């Protein structure tokens, strides 16, 4: 169990109310990774302690559950709009006879990296987000990615905005 053992999470019963001040300190310290945009979890499996989830509801922050490596988190809007499909996928029902072949990770647009040294990261999610079980993600990753990206309030910006070509006069990256 590698993540923040000093927090004593394994000795506490869930849910754990962090309070706004503690959450902000954890965020400032780099102990929290923002997963509100959704994506594929890269981190510890449940057998290794999993990835603790800090759910936000308004100004409340609570560690309510865990996720694990290989699960796919959908953003709040995608989870709400596609609830019946998500439930079907998590139940192992493909919804059609032609289930796609397993996909490879590089096809996923967002990776949520929670493993870190010396302590793993806590995952920050909105209350209404949903996770797809790891055993079903490989068969549905293209569909999940599409659901997530079409409704994502944290959309990608143009790469030129953040990484402009370093022409003369733009050495500092400011255009």
């Amino acid at each position: 169990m590698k993540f923040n053992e000093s927090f004593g999470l394994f000795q506490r019963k869930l849910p754990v109310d962090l309070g706004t001040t503690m959450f902000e300190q954890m965020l400032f310290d780099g102990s929290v990774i923002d997963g509100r945009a959704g994506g594929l979890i890269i981190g510890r499996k449940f057998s290794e302690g999993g990835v603790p989830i800090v759910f936000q509801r308004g100004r409340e922050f609570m560690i309510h559950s865990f996720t694990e490596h290989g699960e796919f988190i959908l953003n709040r809007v995608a989870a709400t709009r596609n609830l019946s499909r998500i439930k079907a996928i998590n139940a192992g029902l493909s919804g059609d006879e032609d289930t796609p072949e397993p996909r490879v990770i590089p096809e996923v647009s967002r990776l949520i990296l929670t493993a870190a040294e010396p302590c793993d990261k806590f995952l920050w999610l909105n209350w209404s987000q949903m996770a797809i079980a790891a055993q079903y993600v490989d068969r549905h990753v293209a569909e999940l990615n599409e659901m997530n990206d079409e409704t994502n309030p944290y959309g990608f910006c143009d790469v030129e905005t953040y990484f402009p070509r370093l022409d003369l006069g733009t050495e500092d990256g400011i255009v």
Side-chain angles (χ1 to χ4, degrees), residues 11-174:
Q11 290 76 37
R12 296 185 186 195
K13 201 169 196 180
L14 295 179
V16 175
D17 185 1
L18 294 175
T20 305
T21 304
M22 184 170 196
F23 175 77
E24 288 173 351
Q25 184 62 45
M26 291 170 64
L27 191 61
F28 180 74
D29 290 345
S31 300
V32 176
I33 184 115
D34 189 347
R36 294 176 298 164
L40 184 69
I41 302 294
I42 306 296
R44 304 225 183 269
K45 299 287 248 174
F46 286 133
S47 62
E48 301 168 318
V51 178
I53 299 174
V54 176
F55 281 110
Q56 177 182 359
R57 182 185 288 174
R59 294 292 297 157
E60 294 179 1
F61 298 91
M62 300 187 86
I63 300 172
H64 202 275
S65 60
F66 291 81
T67 187
E68 73 171 328
H69 175 84
E71 288 191 336
F72 193 99
I73 304 291
L74 288 166
N75 70 62
R76 180 183 53 81
V77 177
T80 303
R81 287 188 184 170
N82 299 289
L83 184 59
S84 60
R85 180 64 181 141
I86 295 165
K87 286 181 177 180
I89 291 171
N90 271 337
L93 307 172
S94 67
D96 59 5
E97 295 301 315
D98 299 322
T99 303
E101 289 300 312
R103 305 289 181 182
V104 293
I105 289 176
E107 290 187 32
V108 177
S109 65
R110 296 181 191 277
L111 299 177
I112 303 172
L113 307 172
T114 61
E117 294 293 336
C119 300
D120 289 348
K121 307 282 184 181
F122 290 77
L123 180 61
W124 174 18
L125 299 178
N126 287 316
W127 186 255
S128 55
Q129 286 184 258
M130 292 191 71
I132 304 300
Q135 69 261 33
Y136 304 119
V137 169
D138 65 340
R139 290 221 172 255
H140 300 281
V141 72
E143 178 184 4
L144 296 170
N145 207 30
E146 186 177 316
M147 278 185 219
N148 200 51
D149 285 347
E150 73 185 11
T151 60
N152 206 329
Y154 305 94
F156 289 109
C157 292
D158 181 1
V159 73
E160 290 294 321
T161 303
Y162 292 98
F163 302 103
R165 289 183 301 278
L166 293 178
D167 298 329
L168 286 176
T170 63
E171 291 81 13
D172 57 0
I174 299 171

